[in-house]
Amino acid sequence: MAKTNVLIVGSGGREHALAWKLAQSPEVEKVYVAPGNSGCAEVAECIDLDILNFRSLARWAREHQVGLVVPGAEAYYVAGIVDAFKSAEIPIFGPGKNAAELEGSKSFAKHLMRRHGIPTADFAEFEQMAAALRYLDSRAEGPVVVKADGLCAGKGVVVAGDLDEARAAVKRIMGEGEFGAAGAKIVIEEMLRGQEVTILALTDGKTIAPLASSQDHKAVLDGDRGPNTGGMGAYSPAPILTDEIMDQVVSRILVPTVHAMNEEGRRFRGLLYAGLMLTGGGPKVLEYNVRFGDPETQPVLMRLESDLFSHLLATTTGHLEGEELRWSPSPAVCVVLAAGGYPGPYAKDKVVTGLAAAGQHPDTVVFHAGARRTTQGEIVTNGGRVFGVTSRGIDLPAAVKQVYQAVEDISFEGMHYRRDIASKALTPPHL
Ligand code: AMP
Ligand code: GLY
């Protein structure tokens, strides 16, 4: 079979991991990443294109014999990148604009779950601040969770311990317009308790192929303290997700979600991300995303032994049924190295040392996120999450030990990271 070229759109750690894995495919000639980062450049060719101009991007893809496009972030899907490439007849992975609503609007996702009996936190929705505040006044006590409806780069959710905190969040989002139009509508929902897990699943709208489970670490500090981030680390598999719970996730959540989308004329093809809370009453959906998770993708793809390109293409063309996903039994752990100040304002252009040494540890890959190479050839920081150091080990303790040894090699001014990634899986809370 003729080999093909692949174009990945984006520049984070997830995109580096996708490029790293796709470059290993026997069916892939060349991987391009637009715009990419210093890590993508080690495994692919980075190109500087106007990625929000989908028509010119499609023209470029055609001229470069691209046989599959893989956008990374939700914003591209919500803006209709898939629809634009489809009309140009270039195969592109992921959901069209109307199916991307699942992530683009929390209100849409919550109503879909309510209509189809998919387990999730109970909720109310508001388009007027006064009505939202009256609703809070009518409640006896917190905690509650306040969510801006639209895309807020992971920052639109406030888990409010009491009603005053919830009122303050409502005022910031609706009164002061903290997230602009994304906060014109809000959802207020019941707080769920339990452990969070991430299930990523490929689906072509008929077949569902769950990937290995993983667990993210959203809070910036050890012990899940401090503000939420895009994710400070992840590991795969999540041992708390037993086969029995996984069966429930498939039958009560994944299958009904894919059916619901079909029924409503929004066939979902691509990567369905289910952020779940494992509650005493079974798994419940915290959120859907419509693309690979970051940093979950890094440890998950380190464990994938079968050909990612083949799986993504089959998902795109509606032939997922014939694919067999194979996983290494060895767990993988990713530790994110963040810039000083992140998730608040942070400095850029800090010189990074120790990357070569870190990459020499066995079964270890340093995925680059907010990092770039200067014209002098130095690697400098260029974002909040700078690297995702990822190691695989014979068991989870071995992977954790390995990854933190590699982390020790790397340094830049202001660098910080969590020291307890995967500790929940090493000391389960029931012990
Ligand atoms: P989201 O952007 O919807 O994933 O929310 C971000 C984070 O907020 C989640 O990963 C959870 O840690 C937390 N969260 C969201 N909804 C709830 C809820 N109903 N109960 C408890 N925590 C929640
Ligand atoms: N790690 C969380 C996300 O990708 O949304």
Side-chain angles (χ1 to χ4, degrees):
M1 194 183 136
K3 291 189 174 195
T4 191
N5 296 334
V6 174
L7 170 64
I8 297 170
V9 184
S11 61
R14 160 186 54 205
E15 287 77 8
H16 182 187
L18 288 166
W20 170 82
K21 188 68 192 170
L22 288 170
Q24 295 169 27
S25 169
E27 293 181 44
V28 172
E29 180 71 36
K30 182 159 188 180
V31 179
Y32 295 101
V33 192
N37 60 33
S38 45
C40 297
E42 289 169 11
V43 293
E45 183 176 335
C46 293
I47 38 169
D48 195 12
L49 296 171
D50 179 6
I51 48 182
L52 288 175
N53 184 340
F54 299 149
R55 284 179 60 167
S56 74
L57 195 61
R59 211 173 311 122
W60 186 94
R62 185 186 306 289
E63 283 162 15
H64 291 79
Q65 285 86 45
V66 168
L68 183 67
V69 182
V70 186
E74 59 277 13
Y76 307 124
Y77 292 109
V78 171
I81 194 170
V82 168
D83 312 72
F85 274 76
K86 273 202 178 141
S87 31
E89 295 182 13
I90 299 171
I92 179 164
F93 175 82
K97 192 177 170 127
N98 72 349
E101 276 283 279
L102 207 48
E103 177 165 3
S105 167
K106 304 243 187 239
S107 159
F108 169 77
K110 295 297 292 190
H111 284 290
L112 182 97
M113 289 186 268
R114 185 176 274 171
R115 283 195 293 277
H116 295 270
I118 298 165
T120 188
D122 203 11
F123 75 102
E125 173 189 307
F126 302 94
E127 291 184 49
Q128 303 293 337
M129 184 168 78
L133 293 173
R134 272 200 306 279
Y135 169 81
L136 290 174
D137 288 342
S138 75
R139 292 187 59 116
E141 57 186 5
V144 293
V145 183
V146 180
K147 299 185 172 184
D149 177 54
L151 293 184
C152 304
K155 295 184 185 134
V157 174
V158 177
V159 181
D162 59 41
L163 294 177
D164 277 341
E165 206 185 317
R167 286 184 189 99
V170 168
K171 287 178 188 158
R172 278 200 312 276
I173 298 172
M174 301 193 92
E176 295 159 27
E178 186 177 14
F179 303 114
K185 203 192 277 184
I186 62 166
V187 166
I188 299 183
E189 65 179 41
E190 159 205 16
M191 191 187 96
L192 300 175
R193 292 175 202 277
Q195 269 214 55
E196 280 187 63
V197 295
T198 300
I199 291 295
L200 309 175
L202 293 172
T203 178
D204 58 5
K206 298 176 296 199
T207 301
I208 299 170
L211 310 190
S213 63
S214 57
Q215 195 166 41
D216 189 8
H217 296 64
K218 290 225 163 77
V220 68
L221 301 173
D222 286 4
D224 291 333
R225 289 174 303 109
N228 269 354
T229 67
M232 291 297 288
Y235 61 96
S236 170
I240 186 166
L241 200 93
T242 58
D243 288 350
E244 189 193 343
I245 303 178
M246 188 59 202
D247 287 346
Q248 295 173 0
V249 170
V250 172
S251 64
R252 297 181 194 172
I253 293 171
L254 297 180
V255 170
T257 302
V258 170
H259 279 173
M261 293 296 278
N262 281 334
E263 251 174 58
E264 303 207 356
R266 297 174 188 257
R267 186 179 63 181
F268 192 99
R269 271 189 177 169
L271 190 290
L272 179 63
Y273 171 128
L276 305 173
M277 189 72 92
L278 304 184
T279 73
K284 296 190 178 180
V285 177
L286 289 172
E287 62 160 346
Y288 292 114
N289 293 325
V290 300
R291 38 73 190 170
F292 282 92
D294 190 344
E296 293 96 324
T297 300
Q298 289 83 315
V300 167
L301 289 188
M302 261 196 97
R303 298 185 54 225
L304 182 66
E305 289 180 338
S306 45
D307 182 9
L308 181 66
F309 173 77
S310 168
H311 304 329
L312 299 188
L313 188 64
T315 304
T316 304
T317 56
H319 296 94
L320 185 56
E321 194 181 357
E323 295 293 298
E324 190 203 342
L325 280 60
R326 289 192 314 279
W327 300 97
S328 160
S330 303
V333 179
C334 169
V335 175
V336 169
L337 307 184
Y342 176 82
Y346 52 82
K348 290 186 180 179
D349 294 327
K350 301 296 179 196
V351 175
V352 180
T353 59
L355 287 172
Q360 271 161 21
H361 291 270
D363 287 324
T364 297
V365 181
V366 181
F367 292 112
H368 295 212
R372 68 179 180 90
R373 190 179 286 277
T374 65
T375 42
Q376 290 81 39
E378 282 175 330
I379 305 285
V380 298
T381 68
N382 191 36
R385 293 191 288 172
V386 185
F387 300 106
V389 185
T390 310
S391 297
R392 218 172 44 188
I394 187 79
D395 54 20
L396 197 59
V400 168
K401 191 168 168 210
Q402 183 67 261
V403 78
Y404 280 106
Q405 276 174 2
V407 164
E408 291 274 296
D409 288 332
I410 302 176
S411 85
F412 56 86
E413 191 189 318
M415 172 176 121
H416 66 97
Y417 57 92
R418 279 183 62 161
R419 283 152 217 271
D420 65 345
I421 302 301
S423 67
K424 271 193 207 124
L426 296 172
T427 48
H430 58 272
L431 292 185

